[in-house]
């Protein structure tokens, strides 16, 4: 994932995610909104850095198969509902512009290139991070920085809040 603000990266269903928050949103309210949408399976969001370092993330998307093996920096799990055959990988710019302006859409022009095609249904989503951009340190595979692994599942547990978030209470 290149360009844009990648301090936070998300995976969104553009057909179900309610992106608009308020023209004058504050971070606490935005993070709460993300958490609410995550509980409903419309969005998953990860905080990728504590230092605000932007990075062009090398993301590997996998469907079915075995869960990514360790070692790794960190791992999170949630679920997403696919309704029209695709999800999108989105960056913080895309998420915040759509949160502030009702006429902005998910995905934006930049993130429209990060389409993930999937069969409609509910998926357990594992997100595994191998590269620590803050420490410039890699744990595990050299092949990618992040694996997003989708497994069809009717019993996936919803996420409660932004993954790895240092701003969330």
């Amino acid at each position: 994932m290149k360009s844009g603000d990648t301090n936070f990266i998300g995976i969104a269903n553009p057909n179900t995610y309610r992106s608009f928050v308020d023209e004058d949103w504050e971070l606490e309210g935005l993070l709460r909104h993300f958490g609410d949408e995550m509980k409903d399976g419309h969005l998953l969001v990860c905080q990728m850095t504590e230092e605000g370092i932007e990075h062009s993330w090398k993301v590997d998307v996998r469907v079915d198969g075995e869960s990514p093996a360790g070692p790794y920096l960190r791992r999170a799990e949630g679920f997403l509902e696919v309704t029209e055959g695709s999800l999108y990988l989105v960056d913080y710019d895309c998420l915040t512009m759509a949160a502030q302006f009702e006429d902005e859409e998910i995905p934006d022009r930049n993130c429209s290139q990060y389409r993930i095609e999937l069969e409609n249904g509910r998926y357990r989503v594992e997100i595994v991070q191998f590269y620590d951009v803050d420490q410039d340190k890699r744990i595990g595979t050299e092949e990618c920085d992040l694996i997003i692994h989708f497994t069809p599942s009717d019993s996936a547990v919803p996420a409660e809040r932004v993954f790895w978030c240092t701003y969330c209470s």
Side-chain angles (χ1 to χ4, degrees):
M1 177 169 221
K2 296 179 181 172
S3 69
D5 185 337
T6 59
N7 287 287
F8 288 83
I9 291 178
I11 310 158
N13 179 332
N15 306 297
T16 60
Y17 173 56
R18 296 175 299 274
S19 60
F20 181 73
V21 175
D22 189 283
E23 287 183 8
D24 297 316
W25 60 261
E26 294 184 9
L27 184 59
E28 183 180 314
L30 181 65
L31 295 174
R32 188 172 39 255
H33 173 75
F34 290 165
D36 291 343
E37 291 293 311
M38 289 171 72
K39 289 175 195 171
D40 292 336
H42 304 160
L43 174 75
L44 293 176
V45 179
C46 305
Q47 181 180 342
M48 303 303 294
T49 172
E50 293 180 26
E51 304 294 328
I53 298 170
E54 293 190 19
H55 178 69
S56 292
W57 295 92
K58 185 176 178 187
V59 179
D60 183 11
V61 175
R62 299 179 182 177
V63 181
D64 290 328
E66 293 185 28
S67 295
Y72 47 78
L73 175 65
R74 53 192 175 184
R75 178 189 170 281
E77 183 177 317
F79 86 93
L80 285 168
E81 189 79 31
V82 177
T83 55
E84 293 190 28
S86 64
L87 302 170
Y88 286 86
L89 195 59
V90 293
D91 61 21
Y92 190 61
D93 287 336
C94 180
L95 290 167
T96 56
M97 290 298 287
Q100 187 170 0
F101 301 105
E102 290 185 75
D103 62 342
E104 291 287 328
E105 295 184 8
I106 299 270
D108 63 8
R109 184 175 178 191
N110 176 52
C111 292
S112 65
Q113 64 185 314
Y114 302 118
R115 181 176 185 196
I116 302 168
E117 294 184 20
L118 296 162
E119 296 288 324
N120 288 347
R122 187 176 176 131
Y123 290 82
R124 184 176 120 234
V125 183
E126 293 174 272
I127 303 170
V128 181
Q129 185 177 352
F130 298 95
Y131 181 62
D132 181 345
V133 68
D134 294 329
Q135 303 297 318
D136 191 25
K137 180 173 77 174
R138 182 170 297 282
I139 298 172
T141 186
E142 298 282 331
E143 296 174 15
C144 63
D145 301 326
L146 192 70
I147 292 175
I148 302 172
H149 181 232
F150 294 90
T151 307
S153 176
D154 290 327
S155 61
V157 177
E160 298 284 324
R161 62 184 217 150
V162 173
F163 299 133
W164 314 318
C165 185
T166 57
Y167 304 103
C168 300
S169 51

